[in-house]
Amino acid sequence: MSFEFDPFDPQYWENPYPYYAEMRHEHPVYRREIENHRVWPHYWMISRAGDVNDALADWKTFSSAKGTLVDTDAALLPETIFHMDPPRHDQLRSILARVLTPTRIANLEPVVRAQAQGLVDKFKAKGEADVVTQFARSIPTMTMCTLMNLPWGEHEKFLKWNLDTLGGADFTSEAALKAWHEMDAYWKDLVVERRKEQTNDLVSMILHAQVEGENLTDAEISGFCGLLHDASQNTTINMICNGIISLGRYPDQRGKLRDNPDRWPSALEELLRFESPVQGLARATTSDVTVADVTIPAGDQVLLLYGSANHDETVYPDADMLDLDRNVKYHWTFGHGIHYCLGNAVARLETRVSIQVLLETIGDWEVDTSQIVRGQLVPTRGVNAAPITFEPVTA
C-alpha cells in the first residue's frame, strides 16, 4: 500500500503523528504533488529531527526569501523579515531584538494575568466554555495592543485580520488579500501618526531605531507592525488552546501542575513540544541538496515539519505521550537558526499565565475531543473550537 499524507487535507488534522512517524521511518524526504498549483507544482516534506534542524541552520541552501507558506506567492504578501535572508534580515531583526527587552516582556505578566482572570470570571459559574472563542483568542490580541499601544476598542478588527490571513486555508484568497491590504494601509497611517509624537511603545521604539546609521523607511516600519500583528496572535492563540486540550486529555499531568506550580518552567516546554503551535514552515532550495539519500533539486519548496521533529523518538522516548516530568532541553516549536522566533518569550509568558489562571480558578476540566474543530495543521496547529466542561465555580 502506498503512503499518502497531505497536511492541507482535514482528514489528517486530528492526529497527524502516526503519519509523521511513518514518514520518519520510511519516507524521511517525502514529495507531495500539488493539484492546481499556483507557484510550485510539488513540494517536499522533511520529518526527522536532525534533518529539520540541519535545514533550519542552513539558510543559504534553505532560503526564506521566496516565502515560508506552501505554494504561496510571497510577492503578494507584505514584506517582513519572515521572507528575508541575510544581510537585510539580520539588520532588521537586530532592531526588534533590541526593543523587545526582558523588562518590557516581564512587565506584561500582570496585564496578561488580569485579562485572563477577567475572561475566566465571565464563564466560571456556567461550568462550560469554548476556550477558543471565550478565552484564548482575546489574550494575544490584548497583549499586542499593549505592546504597540493600539486602541483596545479595535481589537476585534485586529483579530479578524489575523484570522482572515494566517488563520485561513488560503493565504492569498480574496478575503486574505483584502485583509493584507487593509492592514498595510492601517500600519502606514499609524507610522505617520507616531512620527508626530513618540511614546514608549514598541512601534515608537522601532520608528526611532537605525540600521548602521541608516534611518528606516516608513515601509520598513510598517512591515515591522505587520510582523508584530501577524506573529503575535494566531500562533499564541493555538499555543494556549492546545495546552488546555493536552492537559484535559491527561488529567494526571494537569494535577501535577495544579498541585505544584513550581513545575511550570519545565512543564511548559513539554506542552510546547507535545503540540507545537507551528507544525511546519517552508523554505526554497537555492542549490541541489541531498537529505536522507534523496536529492532535492534547486528551486524546489521544502516544508520543514517542526511537529514531526518534536515527536522524533530518537530524541524523545515515548514522544507521543505528554510527560511533564520529561527533561526537554530543546525543541523546534520556535524554529532554529537565524529565524528562531523573536517573540518566543512573550508567547511563553502568555501561555503559562493564561493556563495558570484557568488552573487556579476552575482546577479541573474535561475536553470532549469529538467537539474540537481544527482549522489547520500547517503552518499552525489551528483550533477553531474547543469546548470544556468543569464544576461551576460560584465563589
Side-chain angles (χ1 to χ4, degrees):
M1 182 183 295
S2 61
F3 174 76
E4 285 288 328
F5 177 68
D6 180 359
F8 297 96
D9 186 334
Q11 70 173 303
Y12 299 101
W13 291 355
E14 181 180 347
N15 185 15
Y17 299 106
Y19 301 97
Y20 289 164
E22 186 167 351
M23 275 196 288
R24 290 194 303 271
H25 297 153
E26 305 295 337
H27 314 280
V29 179
Y30 175 63
R31 174 169 161 156
R32 180 79 202 180
E33 303 299 322
I34 304 177
E35 188 176 354
N36 301 319
H37 72 278
R38 293 171 298 188
V39 184
W40 282 275
H42 61 263
Y43 63 99
W44 305 80
M45 284 179 261
I46 294 180
S47 52
R48 290 178 179 171
D51 296 333
V52 169
N53 190 75
D54 290 347
L56 288 170
D58 183 7
W59 64 265
K60 291 182 179 179
T61 304
F62 294 89
S63 169
S64 299
K66 291 187 177 181
T68 58
L69 304 174
V70 171
D71 195 34
T72 298
D73 185 356
L76 297 175
L77 309 180
E79 186 176 13
T80 72
I81 59 175
F82 274 145
H83 307 144
M84 292 182 189
D85 289 332
R88 195 57 175 172
H89 165 274
D90 294 351
Q91 292 171 337
L92 296 180
R93 179 184 172 94
S94 68
I95 292 173
L96 193 55
R98 292 199 303 269
V99 300
L100 197 59
T101 63
T103 299
R104 186 184 292 274
I105 294 168
N107 288 340
L108 289 171
E109 179 154 355
V111 179
V112 173
R113 180 170 289 277
Q115 174 73 0
Q117 190 65 63
L119 292 167
V120 175
D121 287 346
K122 291 179 181 179
F123 60 71
K124 67 181 183 181
K126 299 177 181 178
E128 61 181 16
D130 178 357
V131 293
V132 180
T133 58
Q134 293 178 257
F135 189 59
R137 280 185 177 173
S138 295
I139 294 167
T141 305
M142 175 277 301
T143 306
M144 180 201 69
C145 289
T146 301
L147 280 170
M148 299 174 68
N149 190 24
L150 300 176
W152 177 242
E154 297 186 65
H155 71 281
E156 291 186 2
K157 174 172 66 178
F158 301 138
L159 177 61
K160 185 177 186 303
W161 280 341
N162 195 259
L163 296 175
D164 284 350
T165 52
L166 295 181
D170 184 350
F171 309 111
T172 55
S173 67
E174 183 177 349
L177 290 175
K178 178 176 181 291
W180 291 120
H181 177 75
E182 290 175 355
M183 282 192 289
D184 187 52
Y186 184 92
W187 302 132
K188 286 178 179 175
D189 288 345
L190 181 70
V191 171
V192 172
E193 175 189 314
R194 295 290 165 87
R195 282 201 183 278
K196 298 175 182 177
E197 183 177 356
Q198 181 180 3
T199 62
N200 192 39
D201 65 275
L202 213 56
V203 179
S204 293
M205 295 296 99
I206 294 170
L207 195 150
H208 293 278
Q210 290 185 324
V211 176
E212 296 179 357
E214 168 194 352
N215 288 325
L216 296 175
T217 66
D218 283 6
E220 286 173 326
I221 299 167
S222 174
F224 268 117
C225 294
L227 171 69
L228 292 166
H229 172 275
D230 298 342
S232 64
Q233 294 184 90
N234 187 263
T235 51
T236 309
I237 291 167
N238 293 317
M239 196 180 302
I240 295 169
C241 291
N242 282 311
I244 294 170
I245 292 169
S246 297
L247 292 174
R249 290 175 53 202
Y250 291 85
D252 59 324
Q253 301 298 308
R254 182 182 64 220
K256 293 177 181 180
L257 271 178
R258 184 193 60 229
D259 298 338
N260 188 357
D262 291 342
R263 288 177 176 265
W264 261 107
S266 61
L268 178 60
E269 301 310 307
E270 170 66 355
L271 283 170
L272 296 179
R273 178 207 68 82
F274 185 68
E275 285 279 25
S276 175
V278 177
Q279 291 281 306
L281 287 173
R283 301 290 190 268
T285 53
T286 58
S287 61
D288 292 358
V289 58
T290 300
V291 180
D293 298 324
V294 176
T295 298
I296 302 173
D300 274 12
Q301 192 170 47
V302 181
L303 178 61
L304 306 176
L305 290 171
Y306 301 1
S308 177
N310 280 345
H311 279 247
D312 192 324
E313 58 281 349
T314 66
V315 182
Y316 314 104
D318 299 318
D320 290 343
M321 297 294 293
L322 179 70
D323 180 4
L324 299 187
D325 293 322
R326 191 191 304 272
N327 183 16
V328 182
K329 294 182 179 179
Y330 54 88
H331 51 70
W332 290 272
T333 297
F334 297 108
H336 173 65
I338 66 168
H339 286 283
Y340 186 79
C341 176
L342 267 173
N344 74 88
V346 177
R348 280 182 163 102
L349 183 148
E350 291 176 274
T351 302
R352 172 181 59 79
V353 172
S354 299
I355 301 178
Q356 276 182 330
V357 167
L358 198 64
L359 269 172
E360 292 164 1
T361 307
I362 68 174
D364 294 313
W365 60 85
E366 293 185 3
V367 177
D368 183 351
T369 55
S370 68
Q371 297 301 309
I372 294 172
V373 179
R374 293 281 178 186
Q376 283 181 339
L377 179 59
V378 295
T380 58
R381 185 91 166 107
V383 190
N384 291 344
I388 65 170
T389 57
F390 50 90
E391 287 294 324
V393 178
T394 56

